[in-house]
Amino acid sequence: MWVRIVALVIKEFLAVLRDAASRTVLIGPPLIQLMVFGYAASFDLNHIPYAVYNQDSGYAARQLLARFSGSPNFRQVATIHNDAQIAPLINNKDALLVLHIGQHFTRDLLTQKPARLQIIIDGRDSNTAALALNDVSGVLLDFNQQWAAAHSQRGPPAQLVMRAWFNPNLRSRWFIVPGLVAQLTLVVTLLVTGLSVAREREMGTFDQLLVTPMRPLEILIGKAVPGFVIGGLEGGFIALMAVLWFHVPFVGSVAALALGMFFFLLAAIGIGLMISSLAVTQQQGLLGVFLFLVPAIILSGFATPIANMPEAVQLLTYINPMRYFLIIVRGVFLEGSTIPMLLSQYAPLALIGLVSMSAAVWLFRHRLA
Protein backbone atom coordinates (compact mmCIF):
# COMPACT_ATOMS: atom_id res chain seq x y z
CA MET A 1 0.00 0.00 0.00
CA TRP A 2 2.72 2.43 0.96
CA VAL A 3 4.68 1.65 -2.18
CA ARG A 4 1.63 2.51 -4.28
CA ILE A 5 1.11 5.73 -2.34
CA VAL A 6 4.73 6.80 -2.79
CA ALA A 7 4.56 5.98 -6.50
CA LEU A 8 1.39 8.08 -6.84
CA VAL A 9 3.00 10.99 -4.98
CA ILE A 10 6.03 10.86 -7.29
CA LYS A 11 3.75 10.73 -10.33
CA GLU A 12 1.83 13.81 -9.16
CA PHE A 13 5.05 15.74 -8.54
CA LEU A 14 6.34 14.83 -12.01
CA ALA A 15 3.03 15.81 -13.61
CA VAL A 16 3.13 19.21 -11.96
CA LEU A 17 6.81 19.96 -12.51
CA ARG A 18 6.90 18.83 -16.13
CA ASP A 19 4.06 21.18 -17.10
CA ALA A 20 5.38 24.70 -17.76
CA ALA A 21 2.00 26.27 -17.01
CA SER A 22 1.76 24.50 -13.67
CA ARG A 23 5.28 25.54 -12.72
CA THR A 24 4.42 29.13 -13.54
CA VAL A 25 1.29 28.96 -11.40
CA LEU A 26 3.26 27.55 -8.48
CA ILE A 27 5.99 30.19 -8.61
CA GLY A 28 4.40 33.29 -10.12
CA PRO A 29 1.31 33.93 -7.95
CA PRO A 30 3.08 33.74 -4.56
CA LEU A 31 5.76 36.18 -5.71
CA ILE A 32 3.26 38.59 -7.23
CA GLN A 33 1.01 38.52 -4.18
CA LEU A 34 3.98 38.99 -1.87
CA MET A 35 4.98 42.15 -3.73
CA VAL A 36 1.43 43.45 -3.92
CA PHE A 37 0.62 42.85 -0.24
CA GLY A 38 4.03 44.03 0.90
CA TYR A 39 3.97 47.37 -0.92
CA ALA A 40 0.33 48.21 -1.58
CA ALA A 41 -1.54 46.94 1.50
CA SER A 42 -0.48 49.66 3.90
CA PHE A 43 -2.66 51.54 6.39
CA ASP A 44 0.05 54.12 7.11
CA LEU A 45 -0.68 57.62 5.83
CA ASN A 46 2.25 59.64 4.53
CA HIS A 47 2.18 63.18 3.13
CA ILE A 48 -1.51 63.81 3.85
CA PRO A 49 -2.57 66.66 1.51
CA TYR A 50 -4.11 69.49 3.52
CA ALA A 51 -5.07 73.11 3.04
CA VAL A 52 -4.75 75.95 5.57
CA TYR A 53 -7.52 78.46 6.28
CA ASN A 54 -5.97 80.72 8.93
CA GLN A 55 -7.94 83.75 10.12
CA ASP A 56 -5.66 84.42 13.09
CA SER A 57 -2.49 86.47 12.78
CA GLY A 58 -1.29 85.57 16.27
CA TYR A 59 1.83 83.58 17.10
CA ALA A 60 -0.07 80.62 18.56
CA ALA A 61 -1.65 79.90 15.17
CA ARG A 62 1.78 80.12 13.53
CA GLN A 63 3.25 77.72 16.06
CA LEU A 64 0.47 75.20 15.48
CA LEU A 65 0.75 75.42 11.69
CA ALA A 66 4.51 74.99 11.94
CA ARG A 67 3.96 71.64 13.62
CA PHE A 68 1.85 70.48 10.70
CA SER A 69 4.29 71.76 8.08
CA GLY A 70 7.19 70.15 9.93
CA SER A 71 5.49 66.77 10.25
CA PRO A 72 6.42 64.11 7.66
CA ASN A 73 2.81 62.90 7.73
CA PHE A 74 1.36 66.10 6.24
CA ARG A 75 1.87 68.00 3.00
CA GLN A 76 0.35 71.45 2.53
CA VAL A 77 -1.17 71.85 -0.93
CA ALA A 78 -3.06 75.13 -0.65
CA THR A 79 -3.67 78.24 1.42
CA ILE A 80 -7.22 79.56 1.25
CA HIS A 81 -8.72 82.87 2.32
CA ASN A 82 -12.51 82.40 2.33
CA ASP A 83 -15.18 79.76 2.88
CA ALA A 84 -16.00 79.42 -0.82
CA GLN A 85 -12.56 77.92 -1.54
CA ILE A 86 -13.12 74.95 0.76
CA ALA A 87 -15.67 73.00 -1.29
CA PRO A 88 -13.66 72.74 -4.55
CA LEU A 89 -10.60 71.44 -2.71
CA ILE A 90 -12.54 68.65 -0.98
CA ASN A 91 -14.82 67.81 -3.91
CA ASN A 92 -11.94 67.47 -6.39
CA LYS A 93 -9.82 65.53 -3.87
CA ASP A 94 -7.04 68.09 -4.07
CA ALA A 95 -6.91 68.10 -0.27
CA LEU A 96 -7.97 65.44 2.20
CA LEU A 97 -8.62 67.98 4.94
CA VAL A 98 -8.73 71.72 5.63
CA LEU A 99 -7.32 73.22 8.84
CA HIS A 100 -9.51 76.16 9.84
CA ILE A 101 -8.12 78.41 12.58
CA GLY A 102 -10.56 81.08 13.78
CA GLN A 103 -9.58 84.71 14.17
CA HIS A 104 -9.57 84.55 17.99
CA PHE A 105 -7.48 81.39 18.36
CA THR A 106 -4.43 83.06 19.97
CA ARG A 107 -6.55 85.38 22.12
CA ASP A 108 -8.58 82.49 23.50
CA LEU A 109 -5.44 80.56 24.37
CA LEU A 110 -3.88 83.52 26.18
CA THR A 111 -7.08 84.17 28.13
CA GLN A 112 -7.36 80.45 28.95
CA LYS A 113 -10.58 80.03 27.01
CA PRO A 114 -11.18 76.90 24.88
CA ALA A 115 -9.61 77.65 21.49
CA ARG A 116 -11.18 75.59 18.72
CA LEU A 117 -9.40 74.23 15.69
CA GLN A 118 -11.85 73.09 13.02
CA ILE A 119 -10.98 70.20 10.71
CA ILE A 120 -13.03 69.82 7.53
CA ILE A 121 -12.22 66.38 6.14
CA ASP A 122 -13.23 64.29 3.15
CA GLY A 123 -15.38 61.50 4.59
CA ARG A 124 -15.87 59.45 1.41
CA ASP A 125 -13.05 57.12 2.45
CA SER A 126 -13.89 56.71 6.11
CA ASN A 127 -10.82 54.57 6.87
CA THR A 128 -8.41 57.15 5.49
CA ALA A 129 -10.31 59.97 7.19
CA ALA A 130 -10.14 58.24 10.56
CA LEU A 131 -6.39 57.62 10.21
CA ALA A 132 -5.80 61.23 9.18
CA LEU A 133 -7.77 62.49 12.18
CA ASN A 134 -5.58 60.37 14.45
CA ASP A 135 -2.50 62.08 13.02
CA VAL A 136 -4.13 65.51 13.47
CA SER A 137 -5.01 64.65 17.07
CA GLY A 138 -1.40 63.62 17.69
CA VAL A 139 -0.07 66.97 16.45
CA LEU A 140 -2.67 68.87 18.49
CA LEU A 141 -1.91 66.84 21.62
CA ASP A 142 1.79 67.68 21.35
CA PHE A 143 0.94 71.37 20.85
CA ASN A 144 -1.38 71.35 23.89
CA GLN A 145 1.23 69.77 26.12
CA GLN A 146 3.90 72.30 25.19
CA TRP A 147 1.53 75.28 25.44
CA ALA A 148 0.18 74.18 28.82
CA ALA A 149 3.69 73.70 30.19
CA ALA A 150 4.85 77.10 28.90
CA HIS A 151 1.79 79.01 30.21
CA SER A 152 1.01 77.00 33.36
CA GLN A 153 -2.43 75.93 32.14
CA ARG A 154 -4.41 72.85 32.98
CA GLY A 155 -6.54 70.88 30.58
CA PRO A 156 -6.40 71.00 26.78
CA PRO A 157 -5.94 74.62 25.64
CA ALA A 158 -7.03 73.86 22.06
CA GLN A 159 -10.03 71.71 21.13
CA LEU A 160 -10.56 69.84 17.88
CA VAL A 161 -13.87 70.26 16.06
CA MET A 162 -14.36 67.84 13.16
CA ARG A 163 -16.68 68.05 10.14
CA ALA A 164 -16.72 65.22 7.59
CA TRP A 165 -18.16 65.79 4.13
CA PHE A 166 -20.19 63.11 2.27
CA ASN A 167 -20.06 60.85 5.35
CA PRO A 168 -20.78 63.03 8.41
CA ASN A 169 -20.43 60.22 10.97
CA LEU A 170 -17.50 58.51 9.20
CA ARG A 171 -19.37 55.22 9.07
CA SER A 172 -17.08 52.62 7.54
CA ARG A 173 -20.11 50.75 6.20
CA TRP A 174 -20.86 53.65 3.86
CA PHE A 175 -17.37 53.23 2.42
CA ILE A 176 -17.08 49.44 2.35
CA VAL A 177 -20.52 48.31 1.18
CA PRO A 178 -20.53 50.28 -2.12
CA GLY A 179 -17.08 48.83 -2.77
CA LEU A 180 -18.55 45.35 -2.43
CA VAL A 181 -20.68 46.07 -5.49
CA ALA A 182 -17.48 46.20 -7.54
CA GLN A 183 -15.65 43.41 -5.75
CA LEU A 184 -18.36 40.75 -5.77
CA THR A 185 -19.42 41.59 -9.31
CA LEU A 186 -15.84 41.07 -10.43
CA VAL A 187 -15.56 37.76 -8.56
CA VAL A 188 -18.76 36.30 -10.01
CA THR A 189 -18.08 37.50 -13.55
CA LEU A 190 -14.53 36.16 -13.61
CA LEU A 191 -15.59 32.78 -12.26
CA VAL A 192 -18.40 32.41 -14.80
CA THR A 193 -16.32 33.41 -17.83
CA GLY A 194 -12.90 32.22 -16.63
CA LEU A 195 -14.00 28.59 -16.47
CA SER A 196 -16.31 28.47 -19.49
CA VAL A 197 -13.90 27.47 -22.29
CA ALA A 198 -11.72 25.43 -19.91
CA ARG A 199 -14.79 23.48 -18.85
CA GLU A 200 -15.53 22.57 -22.47
CA ARG A 201 -11.97 21.33 -22.96
CA GLU A 202 -11.96 19.31 -19.76
CA MET A 203 -15.32 17.66 -20.47
CA GLY A 204 -14.34 16.82 -24.02
CA THR A 205 -17.14 18.83 -25.61
CA PHE A 206 -14.89 21.56 -26.98
CA ASP A 207 -14.13 19.65 -30.17
CA GLN A 208 -17.83 19.04 -30.68
CA LEU A 209 -18.40 22.78 -30.34
CA LEU A 210 -15.78 23.49 -32.99
CA VAL A 211 -17.38 21.27 -35.63
CA THR A 212 -20.62 23.23 -35.41
CA PRO A 213 -21.21 26.00 -37.96
CA MET A 214 -20.48 28.63 -35.30
CA ARG A 215 -17.40 30.77 -35.80
CA PRO A 216 -14.90 31.43 -32.96
CA LEU A 217 -16.24 34.96 -32.42
CA GLU A 218 -19.77 33.63 -32.11
CA ILE A 219 -18.61 31.04 -29.59
CA LEU A 220 -16.96 33.75 -27.49
CA ILE A 221 -20.06 35.90 -27.61
CA GLY A 222 -22.13 32.94 -26.48
CA LYS A 223 -19.68 32.44 -23.61
CA ALA A 224 -19.75 36.16 -22.70
CA VAL A 225 -23.49 36.72 -22.53
CA PRO A 226 -24.13 34.49 -19.47
CA GLY A 227 -21.35 36.24 -17.57
CA PHE A 228 -22.79 39.62 -18.55
CA VAL A 229 -26.27 38.70 -17.38
CA ILE A 230 -25.18 36.99 -14.15
CA GLY A 231 -22.68 39.73 -13.29
CA GLY A 232 -25.23 42.46 -13.96
CA LEU A 233 -27.87 40.78 -11.81
CA GLU A 234 -25.32 40.22 -9.04
CA GLY A 235 -24.16 43.84 -9.11
CA GLY A 236 -27.72 45.17 -9.18
CA PHE A 237 -28.76 42.95 -6.30
CA ILE A 238 -25.80 44.05 -4.14
CA ALA A 239 -26.48 47.72 -4.91
CA LEU A 240 -30.12 47.24 -3.95
CA MET A 241 -29.14 45.50 -0.71
CA ALA A 242 -26.71 48.32 0.09
CA VAL A 243 -29.59 50.80 0.00
CA LEU A 244 -32.43 48.75 1.48
CA TRP A 245 -30.60 46.54 3.98
CA PHE A 246 -27.48 48.47 4.97
CA HIS A 247 -29.13 51.91 4.54
CA VAL A 248 -26.22 53.37 2.58
CA PRO A 249 -27.41 56.64 1.00
CA PHE A 250 -27.84 56.62 -2.78
CA VAL A 251 -27.82 60.25 -3.92
CA GLY A 252 -26.56 59.89 -7.48
CA SER A 253 -27.89 58.74 -10.84
CA VAL A 254 -29.03 55.17 -11.50
CA ALA A 255 -28.10 55.64 -15.16
CA ALA A 256 -24.55 56.63 -14.16
CA LEU A 257 -24.20 53.44 -12.12
CA ALA A 258 -25.69 51.27 -14.88
CA LEU A 259 -23.37 52.72 -17.54
CA GLY A 260 -20.34 52.20 -15.31
CA MET A 261 -21.40 48.62 -14.60
CA PHE A 262 -21.79 47.97 -18.34
CA PHE A 263 -18.21 49.00 -19.09
CA PHE A 264 -16.92 47.22 -15.97
CA LEU A 265 -18.61 43.97 -16.96
CA LEU A 266 -17.21 44.33 -20.47
CA ALA A 267 -13.68 44.59 -19.07
CA ALA A 268 -14.18 41.76 -16.55
CA ILE A 269 -15.64 39.41 -19.18
CA GLY A 270 -12.76 40.15 -21.55
CA ILE A 271 -10.23 39.31 -18.84
CA GLY A 272 -12.16 36.17 -17.87
CA LEU A 273 -12.29 34.94 -21.46
CA MET A 274 -8.55 35.60 -21.83
CA ILE A 275 -7.90 33.40 -18.81
CA SER A 276 -10.30 30.73 -20.04
CA SER A 277 -8.74 30.69 -23.51
CA LEU A 278 -5.30 30.05 -22.03
CA ALA A 279 -6.43 27.42 -19.49
CA VAL A 280 -6.60 23.75 -20.46
CA THR A 281 -8.40 22.57 -17.32
CA GLN A 282 -10.83 24.17 -14.90
CA GLN A 283 -8.18 24.05 -12.21
CA GLN A 284 -5.85 26.18 -14.31
CA GLY A 285 -8.73 28.54 -15.07
CA LEU A 286 -9.54 28.87 -11.37
CA LEU A 287 -5.90 29.56 -10.50
CA GLY A 288 -5.74 32.12 -13.30
CA VAL A 289 -8.82 33.89 -11.92
CA PHE A 290 -7.28 33.90 -8.45
CA LEU A 291 -3.99 35.21 -9.83
CA PHE A 292 -5.75 38.23 -11.32
CA LEU A 293 -8.41 38.73 -8.65
CA VAL A 294 -6.28 39.26 -5.55
CA PRO A 295 -3.96 41.94 -7.01
CA ALA A 296 -6.94 43.61 -8.69
CA ILE A 297 -8.70 44.05 -5.34
CA ILE A 298 -5.57 45.20 -3.51
CA LEU A 299 -4.62 47.68 -6.26
CA SER A 300 -8.12 49.11 -6.61
CA GLY A 301 -8.25 51.30 -3.51
CA PHE A 302 -10.95 49.08 -2.00
CA ALA A 303 -9.34 48.97 1.45
CA THR A 304 -6.15 51.03 1.26
CA PRO A 305 -5.76 54.36 -0.56
CA ILE A 306 -3.86 54.26 -3.85
CA ALA A 307 -2.07 57.51 -2.94
CA ASN A 308 -0.19 55.65 -0.17
CA MET A 309 1.29 53.12 -2.59
CA PRO A 310 4.72 53.55 -4.22
CA GLU A 311 4.63 55.39 -7.54
CA ALA A 312 5.58 52.26 -9.51
CA VAL A 313 2.67 50.37 -7.96
CA GLN A 314 0.34 53.31 -8.60
CA LEU A 315 1.10 53.04 -12.31
CA LEU A 316 -0.13 49.42 -12.27
CA THR A 317 -3.51 50.55 -10.95
CA TYR A 318 -4.27 52.37 -14.21
CA ILE A 319 -4.79 49.04 -16.00
CA ASN A 320 -7.07 47.74 -13.25
CA PRO A 321 -10.76 48.10 -14.20
CA MET A 322 -11.85 47.85 -10.57
CA ARG A 323 -10.02 51.10 -9.77
CA TYR A 324 -12.31 53.10 -12.05
CA PHE A 325 -15.53 51.31 -11.13
CA LEU A 326 -14.89 51.89 -7.42
CA ILE A 327 -14.71 55.63 -8.08
CA ILE A 328 -17.94 55.39 -10.09
CA VAL A 329 -19.92 53.37 -7.56
CA ARG A 330 -18.78 55.37 -4.51
CA GLY A 331 -19.32 58.62 -6.36
CA VAL A 332 -22.86 57.64 -7.28
CA PHE A 333 -23.72 56.45 -3.77
CA LEU A 334 -22.15 59.19 -1.64
CA GLU A 335 -21.36 62.18 -3.85
CA GLY A 336 -24.39 62.33 -6.13
CA SER A 337 -22.30 61.88 -9.27
CA THR A 338 -23.95 61.94 -12.70
CA ILE A 339 -22.83 60.68 -16.11
CA PRO A 340 -21.07 63.94 -17.19
CA MET A 341 -19.16 64.01 -13.90
CA LEU A 342 -17.84 60.46 -14.44
CA LEU A 343 -16.74 60.67 -18.08
CA SER A 344 -13.09 60.58 -17.00
CA GLN A 345 -13.74 57.16 -15.43
CA TYR A 346 -15.90 55.74 -18.22
CA ALA A 347 -13.29 56.35 -20.92
CA PRO A 348 -10.41 54.24 -19.49
CA LEU A 349 -12.86 51.56 -18.36
CA ALA A 350 -14.29 51.28 -21.88
CA LEU A 351 -10.76 51.18 -23.31
CA ILE A 352 -9.76 48.33 -20.98
CA GLY A 353 -12.91 46.45 -21.99
CA LEU A 354 -12.20 46.90 -25.70
CA VAL A 355 -8.57 45.78 -25.37
CA SER A 356 -9.39 42.78 -23.16
CA MET A 357 -12.19 41.56 -25.44
CA SER A 358 -9.96 41.94 -28.52
CA ALA A 359 -7.18 40.03 -26.77
CA ALA A 360 -9.61 37.28 -25.79
CA VAL A 361 -10.70 36.86 -29.43
CA TRP A 362 -7.08 36.72 -30.59
CA LEU A 363 -6.07 34.21 -27.91
CA PHE A 364 -9.06 32.02 -28.67
CA ARG A 365 -8.22 31.90 -32.37
CA HIS A 366 -4.52 31.43 -31.64
CA ARG A 367 -5.20 28.38 -29.44
CA LEU A 368 -7.30 26.87 -32.21
CA ALA A 369 -4.51 27.20 -34.76
Side-chain angles (χ1 to χ4, degrees):
M1 181 184 67
W2 289 109
V3 172
R4 292 194 299 270
I5 292 176
V6 171
L8 181 59
V9 169
I10 295 174
K11 170 188 171 297
E12 292 298 320
F13 272 115
L14 292 176
V16 171
L17 297 177
R18 285 176 179 173
D19 183 21
S22 299
R23 291 198 302 268
T24 303
V25 168
L26 288 175
I27 299 173
L31 292 178
I32 294 174
Q33 292 167 35
L34 174 63
M35 299 301 293
V36 169
F37 278 102
Y39 285 101
S42 172
F43 288 97
D44 298 328
L45 290 182
N46 299 314
H47 310 296
I48 300 171
Y50 73 99
V52 172
Y53 182 19
N54 184 16
Q55 295 180 300
D56 183 15
S57 59
Y59 71 95
R62 292 194 298 269
Q63 288 182 2
L64 179 59
L65 291 176
R67 291 183 176 275
F68 281 96
S69 61
S71 172
N73 296 332
F74 294 91
R75 174 174 56 91
Q76 183 175 346
V77 296
T79 300
I80 59 180
H81 306 284
N82 55 69
D83 294 341
Q85 295 177 290
I86 297 176
L89 286 171
I90 300 294
N91 293 345
N92 299 329
K93 297 186 177 182
D94 295 325
L96 178 63
L97 57 89
V98 175
L99 301 176
H100 181 200
I101 300 178
Q103 57 183 348
H104 302 306
F105 183 78
T106 301
R107 187 193 67 182
D108 290 341
L109 286 176
L110 293 175
T111 57
Q112 299 190 10
K113 294 180 179 180
R116 294 187 175 183
L117 169 68
Q118 184 174 220
I119 303 296
I120 304 169
I121 194 165
D122 186 352
R124 285 170 287 195
D125 186 342
S126 58
N127 294 337
T128 301
L131 292 172
L133 286 175
N134 288 336
D135 290 338
V136 172
S137 299
V139 173
L140 186 61
L141 177 62
D142 186 59
F143 172 81
N144 280 337
Q145 290 176 345
Q146 183 174 357
W147 182 274
H151 297 82
S152 301
Q153 293 184 9
R154 296 181 178 179
Q159 297 179 353
L160 184 65
V161 179
M162 183 268 293
R163 291 176 55 198
W165 286 21
F166 304 112
N167 189 352
N169 297 319
L170 289 181
R171 295 180 179 175
S172 59
R173 182 176 296 170
W174 288 16
F175 171 72
I176 294 175
V177 174
L180 292 177
V181 177
Q183 179 181 335
L184 297 181
T185 301
L186 181 64
V187 171
V188 171
T189 305
L190 284 180
L191 287 176
V192 171
T193 56
L195 303 180
S196 58
V197 179
R199 186 184 305 109
E200 297 284 355
R201 289 196 177 101
E202 190 170 341
M203 296 177 62
T205 58
F206 188 67
D207 292 334
Q208 298 176 11
L209 192 63
L210 294 179
V211 299
T212 64
M214 297 182 65
R215 293 176 295 179
L217 180 59
E218 295 173 343
I219 295 175
L220 279 183
I221 293 175
K223 295 290 185 182
V225 170
F228 210 99
V229 174
I230 294 174
L233 292 175
E234 179 82 13
F237 174 76
I238 299 169
L240 195 62
M241 289 294 293
V243 176
L244 299 180
W245 184 264
F246 294 103
H247 304 293
V248 179
F250 188 95
V251 296
S253 167
V254 176
L257 179 60
L259 184 60
M261 187 171 294
F262 173 82
F263 289 128
F264 180 63
L265 288 173
L266 187 68
I269 289 170
I271 295 169
L273 289 176
M274 288 172 56
I275 295 171
S276 189
S277 299
L278 292 172
V280 178
T281 64
Q282 293 187 72
Q283 184 180 14
Q284 291 181 1
L286 186 62
L287 289 175
V289 169
F290 179 74
L291 171 62
F292 173 80
L293 188 62
V294 175
I297 294 174
I298 296 298
L299 297 177
S300 66
F302 173 77
T304 56
I306 295 176
N308 287 352
M309 303 176 188
E311 293 184 4
V313 179
Q314 292 185 36
L315 294 176
L316 291 176
T317 65
Y318 288 107
I319 61 175
N320 182 10
M322 191 172 168
R323 168 198 170 113
Y324 305 101
F325 189 53
L326 272 179
I327 296 175
I328 293 171
V329 71
R330 284 172 174 160
V332 170
F333 268 87
L334 300 179
E335 302 174 39
S337 299
T338 58
I339 291 178
M341 298 169 62
L342 295 170
L343 290 177
S344 60
Q345 308 302 322
Y346 293 141
L349 199 53
L351 180 61
I352 293 174
L354 180 62
V355 172
S356 62
M357 288 297 294
S358 301
V361 173
W362 183 87
L363 286 171
F364 187 73
R365 289 176 174 173
H366 180 70
R367 291 300 295 264
L368 293 179

